[in-house]
């Protein structure tokens, strides 16, 4: 069974929908940010502060590529993971890559309530980062817009895509 890999910008619902999918499909969840923090023994903000973004990206690539070798898992990645082409290819080789999206107002609202993201700044900063990444996210094979959907509705849509991909 192919993995379900959730990616997309911060605040699009990867961790929340990952948990829903895991419960609904009875598939184990790998949250790569949680694994990175566990491996480093400190939260992601502290990794960025003390070791820098490049060090974070190196561990992220390693953790994601290891996760990609599993089977029948739900994998929720950090928003920047698929910017690394080797990581994106490894995740796609064994899984259905689904990019979650949301409009910027929704993202600001969701992430503003849940800080701890070193790359999350003000509206202009988020807009800039979103437009820098837009091309990479657009290249991914599937997209689910979570803006006006409840987590349950987004989960339904992800399951529909995943089942369809498994039967192809
Ligand atoms: C990042 C997103 C974060 C986390 C790190 C970097 C990014 O994960 O991996 O702060 O580059 O977009 P979420 O997308 O789960 O917030």
């Amino acid at each position: 069974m192919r993995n379900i890999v959730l990616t997309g910008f911060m605040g699009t619902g990867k961790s929340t929908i990952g948990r829903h999918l895991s419960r609904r499909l009875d598939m184990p969840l790998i949250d790569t940010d949680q694994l990175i923090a566990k491996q480093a023994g400190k939260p992601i903000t502290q990794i960025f502060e003390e070791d820098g973004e490049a060090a974070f990206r190196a561990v992220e690539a390693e953790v994601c590529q290891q996760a990609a070798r599993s089977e029948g898992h739900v994998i929720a990645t950090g928003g920047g993971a698929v910017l690394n082409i080797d990581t994106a290819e490894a995740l796609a080789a064994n899984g259905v890559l689904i990019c979650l999206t949301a409009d910027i107002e929704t993202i600001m609202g969701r992430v503003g309530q849940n800080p701890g993201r070193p790359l999350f700044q003000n509206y202009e900063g988020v807009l800039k980062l979103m437009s820098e990444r837009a091309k990479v996210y657009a290249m991914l094979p599937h997209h689910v817009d979570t803006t006006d959907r409840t987590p349950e509705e987004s989960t339904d849509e992800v399951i529909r895509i995943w089942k369809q991909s498994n039967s192809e």
Side-chain angles (χ1 to χ4, degrees):
M1 225 173 5
R2 301 180 75 193
N3 294 321
I4 304 179
V5 184
L6 299 179
T7 186
F9 203 77
M10 294 174 262
T12 53
K14 302 178 295 290
S15 299
T16 304
I17 292 163
R19 283 194 296 274
H20 279 262
L21 286 165
S22 172
R23 268 200 304 273
R24 289 260 304 268
L25 299 169
D26 197 20
M27 285 164 69
L29 173 67
I30 299 176
D31 186 312
T32 60
D33 276 348
Q34 275 180 14
L35 281 184
I36 295 166
K38 197 171 162 198
Q39 195 162 309
K42 53 191 174 189
I44 288 180
T45 26
Q46 208 177 330
I47 304 177
F48 269 72
E49 271 166 29
E50 292 176 3
D51 311 319
E53 180 172 352
F56 170 80
R57 295 297 175 202
V59 183
E60 180 177 55
E62 202 181 290
V63 163
C64 288
Q65 288 172 36
Q66 195 177 332
R69 289 195 282 274
S70 60
E71 273 178 24
H73 281 64
V74 178
I75 303 173
T77 71
V82 294
L83 302 177
N84 178 322
I85 185 76
D86 293 333
T87 297
E89 280 177 4
L91 289 165
N94 218 12
V96 184
L97 217 51
I98 300 173
C99 180
L100 303 185
T101 65
D103 66 26
I104 186 163
E105 284 74 23
T106 304
I107 286 174
M108 295 305 296
R110 287 180 187 160
V111 180
Q113 292 168 10
N114 180 10
R117 289 169 165 98
L119 295 182
F120 185 80
Q121 304 154 4
N122 54 14
Y123 190 95
E124 284 67 34
V126 169
L127 194 61
K128 185 165 174 280
L129 199 56
M130 280 179 90
S131 56
E132 281 168 9
R133 293 181 176 182
K135 260 196 188 156
V136 175
Y137 290 143
M139 279 176 356
L140 298 172
H142 305 286
H143 298 86
V144 173
D145 188 349
T146 65
T147 305
D148 294 319
R149 287 185 166 110
T150 63
E152 290 76 15
E153 289 168 342
S154 298
T155 303
D156 286 342
E157 182 59 7
V158 170
I159 292 175
R160 191 190 64 72
I161 293 168
W162 175 72
K163 283 192 171 158
Q164 196 173 17
S165 306
N166 269 324
S167 66
E168 275 165 6

